[in-house]
Amino acid sequence: MHGRLLAVSDLHVAYEENRDITAGLRPTAADDWLIVAGDVGERVSDIEWTLGLLAERFAKVVWVPGNHELWTHPDDPVKLRGEERYRHLVELCRGLGVVTPEDPYPVWRGEGGPVTVAPLFVLYDYSFRMPGVATKEESLRLAHEAGVVCTDEYFLHPDPHPSRDAWCRERVALTERRLADVDPAHPTVLVNHWPLVRQPTDILRYPEFAQWCGTTLTADWHRRFRAAAVVYGHLHIPRVTWYDGVKFSEVSLGYPREWKRRPPRDLLRPVLPPAPASAAAQAARPPAPAAAEPARLLQQLLPDAVTAAEAFSDPPEPPAERLYPEEAQAVARAVPHRQAEFATVRQCARRALGTLGVEPAPLLPGRRGAPQWPAGIVGSMTHCAGYRAAAVARRGDVLGVGIDAEPNEELKDGLLEAIALPEEQELVRARMRGTSGVCWDRLLFSAKESVFKVWYPLTGRELDFDEARIDVDPADGTFTARILVDAPTVDGTSLARMQGRWLCRSGLLVTAVSLTAGAGGRAGNGE
């Protein structure tokens, strides 16, 4: 076989523009297989049209259901519900020659094979709840109060099961038995509409939605069942992440309002990781970044186009072992603490760049210590006691990114006067007399640092503390920066005014600014 194993999801062909895109999907070779990871559409006729078209073109099509296929939608003449609807779709696929989760798992023997391709249908059970929420009922109540409720609650019926989570538990048990019977000599490609691990949901704009995104019962399946790769959709955030050395690909097209904001890309994504590099190339590459807590703080402040990675401690390995040789040389004269944070923040940056599909490379400091990013990438790094982070984006999506983290501690005597304008000092001192628990002087410093990190790469000019005025909104976690010197316009965006976001949590103050080209200097948060 000389083809490739490709994947796509969330085609949503009810949208005319998406239907046109789907009609244009074609293999790159006669032996190409295509995985369709759910959410083709809501109506049976649309599902049949799409999968029939793809089955005619690709050597093999593998399909798993998404939540939209399982809806009993008012616009669909087929009124079947729950299990009966799912079984109807399975039989439809079999008539088209499309592999389903009810069929024998096929073995891919092309590049990267042999691997067993396992289409899964395991639903969700509301276990991806908000932190501190103990029950499904409480989680759903909070979601309804926030106005963030998945349409599944109205259209996805579990009949004859008593609930969607009960249906999920049955599917998990059945699927585990089937996966346990896979030839142990074969790695697997696990395909599911919903992510098998929770981490990908950490960057959702509305965290309440995570409860409709999977189950904790599958959290170790990529390890237990020898996954070479995992494919999923549902989140409409196409990207690649790695967990325990396994490649996880979110392969969705999404709604037109979403994909139109992204740069052009190949819609059909290769599933299997590239062949291992030569021994010489591997020797020149530093070890993969150590596993770290997913981005839970910084990503809340950034738009979807910006990817963040965080670490809350330094790995035990010596810094030189975690750096490229030229990076290690750049920091060789620094004290051990500085070397450790330098290495960890670059590991964070490489993790974030990996989600954009950017190969690992040295990240050397330039003038004023600003990191020199790969071509086409903008980004920012920050580190303080107990926290290291990096945020990156493609230059076509975001004009500039600035992030900063500081301990939530008051500045030393005399520093406020050095970094703040008289009117800023007055406001900070008034707020410091309150009981909010926020060190407003340190927050002001952090916000200015984030602004400076956006300004300098775009202008090549330094900005003094008294050349930017920061107005912090204490209620909604935002701030506005007004530049008090002549500010250029870059790619249609004026740098005279910037907006950012901030949070205070876990003893840290974190600030972020992101600029979108043509947005007039407005910081984006994905809205």
Side-chain angles (χ1 to χ4, degrees), residues 30 63 102 109 112 141 191 220 236 256 261 263 328 356 361 388 416 494 502 515 523:
W63 167 83
E102 305 309 308
R109 300 188 184 278
R141 182 184 67 79
V191 182
D220 64 349
H236 292 200
R261 298 184 305 186
L356 299 180
R388 290 87 169 89
L416 178 61
S494 170
W502 66 273
L515 296 183

Side-chain angles (χ1 to χ4, degrees), residues 360-379:
L363 299 171
L364 298 174
R367 186 167 176 261
R368 286 204 65 198
Q372 301 180 67
W373 298 102
I377 298 296
V378 298

Side-chain angles (χ1 to χ4, degrees), residues 347-478:
Q347 287 185 294
C348 289
R350 280 189 268 273
R351 286 171 48 216
L353 288 167
T355 68
L356 299 180
V358 178
E359 288 294 321
L363 299 171
L364 298 174
R367 186 167 176 261
R368 286 204 65 198
Q372 301 180 67
W373 298 102
I377 298 296
V378 298
S380 183
M381 299 180 187
T382 188
H383 48 76
C384 68
Y387 186 76
R388 290 87 169 89
V392 296
R394 295 198 178 277
R395 182 66 165 77
D397 293 338
V398 175
L399 188 63
V401 180
I403 63 172
D404 188 71
E406 303 287 335
N408 186 28
E409 300 170 357
E410 293 185 23
L411 295 174
K412 294 181 179 179
D413 290 344
L415 280 183
L416 178 61
E417 292 77 10
I419 63 107
L421 298 164
E423 56 269 34
E424 291 174 325
Q425 297 176 38
E426 182 179 353
L427 189 55
V428 162
R429 291 190 177 105
R431 286 179 175 158
M432 292 289 280
R433 291 193 288 269
T435 58
S436 66
V438 176
C439 292
W440 299 103
D441 55 349
R442 181 77 70 162
L443 177 61
L444 177 68
F445 174 81
S446 180
K448 291 199 174 190
E449 285 290 306
S450 287
V451 170
F452 298 164
K453 289 178 182 180
V454 173
W455 170 273
Y456 181 75
L458 293 174
T459 66
R461 293 162 26 204
E462 297 186 5
L463 194 67
D464 290 333
F465 284 108
D466 62 358
E467 293 177 334
R469 169 169 175 162
I470 304 293
D471 293 301
V472 174
D473 189 322
D476 68 358
T478 63

Side-chain angles (χ1 to χ4, degrees), residues 204-278:
L204 289 175
R205 186 185 308 166
Y206 302 106
E208 297 87 352
F209 190 76
Q211 62 194 298
W212 290 282
C213 294
T215 169
T216 56
L217 297 173
T218 61
D220 64 349
W221 282 16
H222 60 292
R223 298 192 302 271
R224 287 174 56 196
F225 300 117
R226 308 173 304 284
V230 175
V231 176
Y232 68 100
H234 190 58
L235 303 185
H236 292 200
I237 308 174
R239 60 177 185 151
V240 173
T241 51
W242 295 77
Y243 306 108
D244 303 305
V246 178
K247 179 184 178 184
F248 280 65
S249 298
E250 208 279 8
V251 295
S252 61
L253 170 61
Y255 303 130
R257 67 176 184 270
E258 296 167 327
W259 58 256
K260 285 180 178 180
R261 298 184 305 186
R262 303 182 188 124
R265 67 180 180 92
D266 291 334
L267 183 56
L268 303 184
R269 311 302 294 171
V271 171
L272 293 170
S278 66

